[in-house]
Amino acid sequence: MKHLPIGPLSKISPDLLLSLTCLLLSIISLLFNITSSTVVLLGGYDTELYIKMARSLAVGEWLGPYDYMTLVRLPLYPAILAVSSILDFRLPVFQHGLLIVGFLLLVGSLRENQVSRRNCLFIFVLLAFNPLTLFLPQLVITETLVVA
């Protein structure tokens, strides 16, 4: 069955239309976290350690004073927290933005491997609007980035 060209969208390539749709959905997905606040789990030693390490990195020090706890955790997540602080982005928006970038890369790689546009869009919507990926970035825990 042939599709008849209707309107200005008929001149846009289907892959470009998929990209634009995913970008629009990304913005909508980010808006869910725009007003949320960060929850710091009290009594969670990992959370306190990540925040301490991120504060040290943000002021240009290494991971804080070198002691037996310095390298207990990998420095990548404190670096992400420090970058979020330096750029003055709210942590939930920054973390969800990183997840969205990962989702977009996934969709791009799926299209490179000949997965249909409809399936790619479906996968992107499931990931971008999954309650776990929408609301977990409000917490200061590494699982916010590992989940996706």
Side-chain angles (χ1 to χ4, degrees):
M1 183 165 156
K2 258 181 144 176
H3 293 285
L4 298 174
I6 300 172
L9 292 181
S10 64
K11 296 179 181 164
I12 297 176
S13 78
D15 282 331
L16 180 61
L17 191 59
L18 173 67
S19 300
L20 293 174
T21 304
C22 285
L23 286 175
L24 177 66
L25 290 171
S26 298
I27 293 169
I28 293 169
S29 178
L30 279 170
L31 290 176
F32 281 108
N33 273 320
I34 205 83
T35 59
S36 61
S37 59
T38 304
V39 177
V40 178
L41 302 174
L42 297 176
Y45 191 75
D46 286 347
T47 301
E48 295 169 6
L49 182 62
Y50 287 134
I51 291 173
K52 184 177 86 168
M53 293 169 123
R55 285 183 179 147
S56 294
L57 285 172
V59 296
E61 297 174 4
W62 191 53
L63 295 171
Y66 187 76
D67 60 7
Y68 69 97
M69 292 302 291
T70 303
L71 297 176
V72 166
R73 294 288 176 202
L74 296 174
L76 182 62
Y77 189 65
I80 289 171
L81 294 175
V83 168
S84 173
S85 175
I86 291 168
L87 296 176
D88 201 26
F89 280 126
R90 298 179 57 137
L91 185 60
V93 175
F94 189 72
Q95 289 185 146
H96 193 67
L98 290 176
L99 290 173
I100 290 291
V101 168
F103 301 157
L104 291 171
L105 290 173
L106 174 67
V107 167
S109 66
L110 289 174
R111 277 303 297 145
E112 287 290 321
N113 288 302
Q114 308 304 320
V115 176
S116 73
R117 290 177 197 88
R118 180 181 300 158
N119 287 345
C120 286
L121 184 61
F122 180 72
I123 289 169
F124 183 80
V125 168
L126 281 179
L127 291 172
F129 294 97
N130 180 351
L132 192 59
T133 59
L134 278 175
F135 302 114
L136 197 58
Q138 296 174 6
L139 302 173
V140 181
I141 52 176
T142 55
E143 287 80 0
T144 57
L145 298 176
V146 174
V147 159

